[in-house]
Amino acid sequence: MSSIAREAYKIKEEFDFLRRTKLEFEKAVQFINAEVKSVEKGIVKRLEQPFRQLTVTFPVKMDDGSIEMFTGYMVQHSRSYEPTKGGIRYSPEVKLDLITALAFDMTLKCRVADLPFGGSKGGVCCNPKKMSQAELERLTRRYTYEILPVLGPDSCVPAPDIGTSEREMGIIYDTYKMLSPRSPYASAVVTGKPLSLGGSQGRKEATAQGGAYILEEAVKQGHIEGLSSLKDATVIVQGFGNVGYNIANILYKDYGCRIVGLCDSKGGIYCQEGLNPKDVLAYKQNISPEKSIVGYNDFQPLTVEQLLTSPCDILVPAAKETQIVGTLANDIKAKVILELANGPTTNLAHETLIEKNVYVLPDILANAGGVTVSYFEWLQNKAGENWELSMVKEKLQKKMVTAYMNVVETAKNYNLDMRSAAFVFAVSKEIEILTARGIFP
Ligand code: NAD
């Protein structure tokens, strides 16, 4: 291979989320083989592949009377436990490889958080920002119909992700219930629903809240060099949707952090004195013509790259995958990175961050709060219960701290960074379950 071809391959590999996930998985398997115990080759092959990849194409009648075709996916990665669990993404960037990588990640996340689910992920290639609410409702209903053969409270249970919210989850529940009227526990077919349809208290903030609990524990245990308290710690958050807004608000309100930088897809703002996330949200929703945070208080607009490399103690990627890339990593100034987005840091960038002694709290650990409260919602739906917020938060904190300590212990025992430790922990657990189940028939 010529040096140009090798360089091109390296770039492709860095930007390919599925390839990155598989590389990390292969590394974990090699490590387990060398240091823990030998792994049956067939089990590795089984884990590399999702057990089901469903691709559907379907028409939607648009508001102007025209008909548009859309492509949707539902990938179920592992049936170590069922149902499989994972979000549904609406974005123009949705494609089979991306959804497959996210489903793989979900399996590993469920092992780290110790939840009895396999991983899955769904998505539709569309631009929800350019569609009306009525068009999105028709798209959601038809997509639900198309994935109905695999959907169910004990087979595949979706949740919100980029571009979807509790509104779409409510529509999925209604569509499922109309098409399967005698299904028991029908509300458990989807989580992240509105409270009025059996949603759980605390689900909307769960991903951010879970991340905050982990960060709090890491600081308390003195694991982040140069950061002994969250009070007045400076924070930059990338992404200002469900997860990004909520982490900024929780760190500001409950921990006294100073939110110095925020950004969305249109750009970022930075203010050394600190921002109140609620005020920025009100500007974005009610004043900005572009529905963006850019322009808030006439702060100088920054590019996303400028914001990610601005000074702060805590950097929270909460937008999408492949954002902290190799070319940026050296300029990152944060002491800790709390990965609330899935796959935000490339393997190349991660190596540089570890060399720079940045403490990286990896996605499959840091953002597991969302699927954990989804699990609580599913349990409540099955039992016909409605837990109070204080109970949800208490249980979430316990789960997150336990998951954190398990990964810390693995990292210490084997002298690994936190991402490698999370993968080794998760892959070992998954292998243990698959081995115990054996092969049907
Ligand atoms: P969302 O659609 O509510 O918000 C996404 C935000 O990111 C928007 O503000 C958008 O403007 C911004 N954004 C998009 N591209 C950007 C870019 N290049 N730079 C800066 N900002 C950009 O989505 P969400 O539910 O908040 O999810 C965010 C991330 O968290 C995703 O990676 C998702 O997979 C992950 N996640 C979400 C959940 C959940 O419960 N919603 C759970 C676990 C992980």
Side-chain angles (χ1 to χ4, degrees):
M1 203 191 270
S2 74
S3 62
I4 296 174
R6 206 174 316 123
E7 206 44 41
Y9 182 76
K10 260 169 63 188
I11 292 171
K12 188 171 175 295
E13 189 165 278
E14 197 197 353
F15 283 78
D16 182 337
F17 185 21
L18 181 57
R19 184 76 200 112
R20 289 203 314 264
T21 309
K22 286 194 173 172
L23 280 174
E24 206 59 53
F25 167 72
E26 280 163 21
K27 210 171 88 186
V29 170
Q30 272 169 19
F31 186 86
I32 296 166
N33 257 326
E35 302 289 329
V36 189
K37 64 172 180 183
S38 114
V39 183
E40 160 74 47
K41 276 199 186 110
I43 290 206
V44 177
K45 277 195 197 147
R46 189 175 171 187
L47 262 173
E48 272 169 351
Q49 302 291 330
F51 76 84
R52 184 179 283 134
Q53 290 174 300
L54 182 65
T55 301
V56 294
T57 52
F58 56 91
V60 174
K61 178 90 62 80
M62 307 308 277
D63 290 346
D64 65 4
S66 64
I67 294 166
E68 273 202 30
M69 291 300 293
F70 291 88
T71 303
Y73 307 95
M74 177 52 76
V75 176
Q76 294 174 280
H77 173 256
S78 169
R79 56 179 10 145
S80 48
Y81 287 117
E82 286 175 274
T84 60
K85 194 88 193 68
I88 288 185
R89 182 172 292 197
Y90 286 177
S91 153
E93 289 164 18
V94 162
K95 52 184 173 40
L96 186 57
D97 266 10
L98 173 64
I99 298 298
T100 303
L102 289 162
F104 200 149
D105 256 27
M106 280 307 299
T107 296
L108 301 176
K109 200 179 299 182
C110 289
R111 294 298 73 81
V112 169
D114 192 22
L115 305 172
F117 293 139
S120 55
K121 199 84 183 183
V124 178
C125 182
C126 65
N127 189 345
K129 288 184 183 156
K130 297 207 164 138
M131 293 172 71
S132 71
Q133 295 289 293
E135 286 169 341
L136 280 170
E137 176 166 353
R138 290 195 289 275
L139 178 138
T140 303
R141 287 195 186 279
R142 183 64 189 245
Y143 170 65
T144 307
Y145 172 79
E146 296 292 345
I147 62 167
L148 197 67
V150 302
L151 207 60
D154 293 309
S155 50
C156 177
V157 180
D161 191 65
I162 293 180
T164 59
S165 65
E166 62 174 28
R167 179 175 179 270
E168 284 70 34
M169 301 308 115
I171 294 168
I172 291 173
Y173 159 66
D174 182 65
T175 309
Y176 178 80
K177 180 72 182 157
M178 296 309 287
L179 294 169
S180 325
R182 276 169 290 283
S183 160
Y185 322 114
S187 62
V189 73
V190 69
T191 58
K193 301 177 291 291
L195 287 177
S196 56
L197 297 179
S200 176
Q201 298 281 352
R203 174 60 184 89
K204 218 189 284 179
E205 309 83 24
T207 305
Q209 186 66 68
Y213 287 143
I214 283 192
L215 184 64
E216 179 185 8
E217 194 60 29
V219 172
K220 204 156 79 188
Q221 304 240 1
H223 292 163
I224 306 168
E225 214 175 287
L227 192 67
S228 55
S229 161
L230 283 177
K231 179 100 192 68
D232 219 32
T234 52
V235 180
I236 290 178
V237 181
Q238 184 201 20
F240 205 59
N242 175 30
V243 179
Y245 165 71
N246 278 305
I247 189 67
N249 196 40
I250 290 168
L251 291 178
Y252 171 79
K253 180 172 66 69
D254 297 346
Y255 294 91
C257 292
R258 194 149 35 100
I259 312 300
V260 292
L262 293 170
C263 75
D264 58 26
S265 57
K266 308 247 165 50
I269 51 175
Y270 188 89
C271 167
Q272 189 57 39
E273 287 72 45
L275 301 153
N276 180 340
K278 267 204 172 132
D279 294 344
V280 181
L281 183 68
Y283 171 82
K284 179 181 167 110
Q285 286 178 339
N286 309 325
I287 301 173
S288 162
E290 303 221 286
K291 298 281 174 232
S292 167
I293 64 171
V294 177
Y296 173 74
N297 246 357
D298 291 329
F299 287 122
Q300 169 95 18
L302 298 178
T303 64
V304 172
E305 289 74 18
Q306 283 171 326
L307 190 81
L308 290 173
T309 52
S310 294
C312 67
D313 296 316
I314 301 159
L315 177 61
V316 189
K320 58 181 190 175
E321 57 289 334
T322 320
Q323 295 301 299
I324 301 177
V325 295
T327 45
L328 274 187
N330 217 11
D331 297 327
I332 298 271
K333 312 211 170 38
K335 300 180 174 84
V336 54
I337 296 184
L338 179 68
E339 290 189 341
L340 293 190
N342 284 308
T345 311
T346 68
N347 301 10
L348 216 58
H350 189 255
E351 276 173 28
T352 307
L353 293 169
I354 297 302
E355 274 165 26
K356 276 166 56 108
N357 209 16
V358 179
Y359 195 59
V360 181
L361 290 160
D363 53 1
I364 58 171
L365 165 69
N367 71 27
V371 67
T372 301
V373 177
S374 276
Y375 169 58
F376 298 161
E377 181 172 329
W378 181 78
L379 286 179
Q380 289 171 72
N381 295 156
K382 290 210 146 200
E385 291 181 5
N386 206 339
W387 302 354
E388 290 191 357
L389 180 60
S390 55
M391 179 164 155
V392 171
K393 286 177 79 170
E394 194 183 315
K395 282 176 177 284
L396 174 64
Q397 183 164 24
K398 209 165 161 198
K399 276 267 185 206
M400 295 306 289
V401 171
T402 305
Y404 177 69
M405 290 317 296
N406 283 337
V407 176
V408 165
E409 202 181 297
T410 309
K412 276 203 182 130
N413 286 348
Y414 297 116
N415 195 21
L416 294 169
D417 61 77
M418 288 293 279
R419 187 187 313 283
S420 306
F423 265 76
V424 165
F425 181 87
V427 172
S428 308
K429 286 271 171 209
E430 184 68 7
I431 289 171
E432 194 184 321
I433 300 161
L434 288 177
T435 308
R437 279 195 67 163
I439 306 243
F440 172 83

